[in-house]
Amino acid sequence: MSSETTAPEADEDPIGYFLDDVTYHGKSERTRAFYERVLRDFETYLSEGPQPTPVATASHRDCMAYVHGLRGDHSESTVATYASYLHRFFAYMTQVGTFESNPMTLVMEEMDESINTDPTRREIGIEEMSAFVGTVAHPLERAVVLTLLKTGMRAGELCNLDLRDCNLADPGPRPAVPVRPALDGRPDSLYVAAEPARGAVTNGEERTASNKRKRDTTIPVDGELARTLRRWLAIRPDVRSEAEPLLVSTSGDWGRRLTPDMVHHLVERHARDHGWYRDGGGTEENVTPHYFRHFFTTHLRDRTGDRGVVKYLRGDVAQDVIDTYTHEWGSRVRESYEANIYSLLG
C-alpha cells in the first residue's frame, strides 16, 4: 500500500501527518518518537482543558499556558526542548499550508528574552571587556577569547573548528589546507557545522565535544578577529591530527586539539586574574566561556535590533525557519554583523 493511502490526512490528524513527514525526510525513529511524545502530550493537554481545543486551532495563550505548566516538573533545558518541538511542528504545518499561523512564534520570542536576560548576572560593558582582552597576550589565548566574544559560539564548537572551517581573505602563513566548499567565495568567514558529536568521527578524527546547533552556520570574521587568527596561525605548531584542528595546545598537550576543559581553564584563569571569577561564585558572578556567549547575544542584539540575525549566528534557528526569510539571508547577516560588531582591540 502506498504512503498516500496510509498517511493520515493533515486536517484529520495533523500530528500524524507531521510525524509521517518527519520520517519521509529521513529523521530517525528516535527523533520521531521524541516529537510524538511531546506533540501528543500537548494534544492531551488541549483536550482536557475547560474548553477542549483541536491542535489546529491552538492559540498563543494555549501554547504559553502549556509551556508554563511544564516548568514545575522539568528543567529549563527540557522546557526549551519541548517548546522547540512545538515550534517546529507549527512552523512546518504553516509552511505546507495546513495551519494559518504559528502560535509558538511569540512564545519562543518571550522565552528567548527570559533566558537571555538575567537581572542578577554580571553586566560588562564594551570598554570593560576591551580592557580584559588587552590583558590576554598569548596568540592562542587571545584567539580563543576573541573568537568566543566575536561569534557567540560555544566552547565545544570552538574546539571542533578545523583549519578548513576558517577562510581568511589574507590568510598569512598557514598550511595548504583547502577550505570547505561552503566557504568558497566567502572570505573572512568561519564555518560552524551542526554534525560534530562527542565520540563521533568527523573529518577523520574522533571528537571530544558536541556542537549543539540546529543548522550549519557561516559566521563573518571582522578585521580584529582576522588579524588575531592570522597571528595565531603564524605560530601554530605542527598538529597531531590529519583533521588539522584550528586551535591546538601549546603546553602539555602540545599540538593536540583544544578541549572544552582547556578552554574553560584558560578563560577562568584570565577572569580570576581580572577579578571576574571566584571559587563558589555562581553564573551571576563568574565569567566563563558561556558568559562570552551571553555578552555576544546581549550587545549584538541591542546594536542590530535584529533578533533573527543574532539567533542565526548563535545557531538557534533551524533551516526551515531561515528559508522563510530571504534568499539573500547570507549577505543580510554579513552586512548586519559588519555594521554592528563591537571593537575590542582598541
Side-chain angles (χ1 to χ4, degrees):
M1 187 175 292
S2 69
S3 60
E4 285 80 1
T5 58
T6 59
E9 292 294 332
D11 55 353
E12 294 178 358
D13 181 14
I15 293 176
Y17 177 90
F18 172 77
L19 293 172
D20 279 345
D21 278 16
V22 164
T23 302
Y24 299 152
H25 290 160
K27 301 297 184 182
S28 68
E29 284 299 317
R30 184 167 177 263
T31 298
R32 177 192 168 115
F34 283 152
Y35 271 112
E36 184 166 20
R37 182 167 71 246
V38 173
L39 296 176
R40 293 302 182 190
D41 183 63
F42 178 63
E43 182 180 48
T44 299
Y45 168 81
L46 293 175
S47 68
E48 294 178 347
Q51 294 182 330
T53 304
V55 172
T57 60
S59 68
H60 156 251
R61 291 185 64 83
D62 291 327
C63 294
M64 187 166 57
Y66 172 72
V67 171
H68 178 72
L70 296 172
R71 289 196 166 98
D73 301 318
H74 302 281
S75 67
E76 279 299 318
S77 62
T78 299
V79 172
T81 299
Y82 274 48
S84 70
Y85 284 0
L86 280 180
H87 182 51
R88 296 273 189 91
F89 164 68
F90 279 111
Y92 182 79
M93 298 305 287
T94 301
Q95 189 173 12
V96 300
T98 302
F99 294 173
E100 293 184 1
S101 62
N102 180 353
M104 279 297 296
T105 300
L106 186 56
V107 176
M108 297 301 287
E109 294 287 334
E110 292 167 347
M111 288 184 67
D112 281 347
E113 289 292 347
S114 65
I115 291 172
N116 293 329
T117 304
D118 182 351
T120 66
R121 188 192 293 264
R122 179 195 295 273
E123 288 301 331
I124 299 173
I126 301 295
E127 291 186 3
E128 290 179 282
M129 189 60 78
S130 178
F132 169 77
V133 174
T135 67
V136 183
H138 190 284
L140 170 63
E141 297 180 351
R142 178 168 284 198
V144 167
V145 168
L146 203 64
T147 302
L148 292 173
L149 284 167
K150 291 273 191 172
T151 68
M153 68 177 69
R154 301 172 177 87
E157 295 168 345
L158 177 82
C159 295
N160 276 327
L161 290 174
D162 293 332
L163 201 55
R164 65 174 181 162
D165 299 319
C166 177
N167 186 16
L168 299 179
D170 176 14
R174 61 166 275 177
V177 176
V179 300
R180 281 180 180 266
L183 290 181
D184 285 342
R186 295 183 175 183
D188 289 331
S189 297
L190 291 172
Y191 186 89
V192 185
E195 82 272 2
R198 182 186 177 97
V201 175
T202 301
N203 198 19
E205 181 186 346
E206 183 175 332
R207 301 304 169 114
T208 61
S210 298
N211 288 5
K212 300 178 181 179
R213 298 197 161 229
K214 294 181 180 178
R215 71 181 310 277
D216 300 335
T217 312
T218 301
I219 302 178
V221 171
D222 74 339
E224 289 186 343
L225 183 53
R227 290 194 301 274
T228 300
L229 290 173
R230 281 197 299 271
R231 184 183 176 212
W232 157 244
L233 289 172
I235 68 156
R236 173 177 171 268
D238 292 336
V239 301
R240 302 190 187 185
S241 167
E242 294 182 359
E244 290 284 348
L246 177 63
L247 300 166
V248 297
S249 175
T250 57
S251 56
D253 290 310
W254 184 269
R256 292 192 184 278
R257 181 186 299 275
L258 291 188
T259 67
D261 280 346
M262 293 178 187
V263 172
H264 278 271
H265 288 312
L266 182 160
V267 173
E268 176 189 326
R269 174 164 48 82
H270 284 285
R272 191 186 296 275
D273 290 344
H274 208 73
W276 287 352
Y277 193 101
R278 71 173 181 85
D279 294 333
T283 57
E284 72 281 356
E285 181 179 1
N286 286 346
V287 168
T288 64
H290 188 72
Y291 180 88
F292 291 163
R293 184 168 166 83
H294 162 77
F295 180 92
F296 171 84
T297 301
T298 301
H299 287 283
L300 196 61
R301 185 180 61 200
D302 289 348
R303 285 169 165 243
T304 63
D306 191 333
R307 297 174 59 83
V309 166
V310 176
K311 289 172 73 174
Y312 166 82
L313 292 168
R314 283 170 49 95
D316 293 342
V317 183
Q319 181 65 50
D320 58 347
V321 177
I322 290 296
D323 289 343
T324 66
Y325 281 83
T326 168
H327 67 284
E328 298 293 341
W329 179 258
S331 60
R332 173 186 165 189
V333 169
R334 178 172 288 280
E335 291 169 2
S336 180
Y337 180 90
E338 290 180 344
N340 293 284
I341 190 60
Y342 35 80
S343 174
L344 292 174
L345 295 184

